[in-house]
Every structure is written in C-alpha cells, then in structure tokens.
C-alpha cells in the first residue's frame, strides 16, 4: 500500500508541475500580447466579429447531463 501511495503522489507532483508550466506559458503569452507593438497591430475584422459572436452566445448549462465536470458524465 505504501508503494501505491508513493506512485500516486509522484503522479500528482507531475501534474502540479505541468500546471505551473501551463501558467508560466499563459503569463508569457499575456505579457507578449501587452507589448505596444503587438497591441497596435491591426486585427482581421472577421476574427474580431467571430470572437464577438462567440462571446455573445449564452454559456452552456449542461442541464441535460449535469455538470460538465461531473465524474458521472
């Protein structure tokens, strides 16, 4: 049982490390997009209108199957 616990703990540690790398990548991308030369670049109007349309849609409720994060889905 101790070996099983140790193996599980290592897997959780790796997952935590991946979370930190993902977060570091996200922060880097946000910092890069905040640079003035990037922010002043023109955007494709079709991409902007597609993003606006996507954000205007209602959020999914998952009422037909419960939460999107349920283990019973």
């Amino acid at each position: 049982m101790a070996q099983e616990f140790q193996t599980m703990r290592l897997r959780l540690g790796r997952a935590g490390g991946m979370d930190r790398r993902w977060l570091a990548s996200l922060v880097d991308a946000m910092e890069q997009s905040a640079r003035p030369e990037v922010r002043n670049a023109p955007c494709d109007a079709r991409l902007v209108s597609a993003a606006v349309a996507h954000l205007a849609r209602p959020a999914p409720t998952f009422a037909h199957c419960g939460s999107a994060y349920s283990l019973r889905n």
Side-chain angles (χ1 to χ4, degrees), residues 16-32:
M18 290 182 70
D19 289 345
R20 285 189 293 270
R21 284 182 291 195
W22 178 84
L23 182 58
S25 296
L26 177 63
V27 169
D28 289 343
M30 292 176 74
E31 287 175 349
Q32 184 179 13

Side-chain angles (χ1 to χ4, degrees), residues 2-57:
Q3 179 65 27
E4 184 179 326
F5 176 74
Q6 184 68 21
T7 304
M8 189 165 87
R9 202 171 87 192
L10 285 174
R11 275 190 241 134
L12 290 174
R14 282 191 209 130
M18 290 182 70
D19 289 345
R20 285 189 293 270
R21 284 182 291 195
W22 178 84
L23 182 58
S25 296
L26 177 63
V27 169
D28 289 343
M30 292 176 74
E31 287 175 349
Q32 184 179 13
S33 65
R35 293 189 347 236
E37 62 270 15
V38 173
R39 291 185 57 85
N40 293 333
C43 294
D44 184 0
R46 291 176 293 175
L47 291 176
V48 173
S49 63
V52 168
H54 178 77
L55 293 173
R57 293 190 311 218

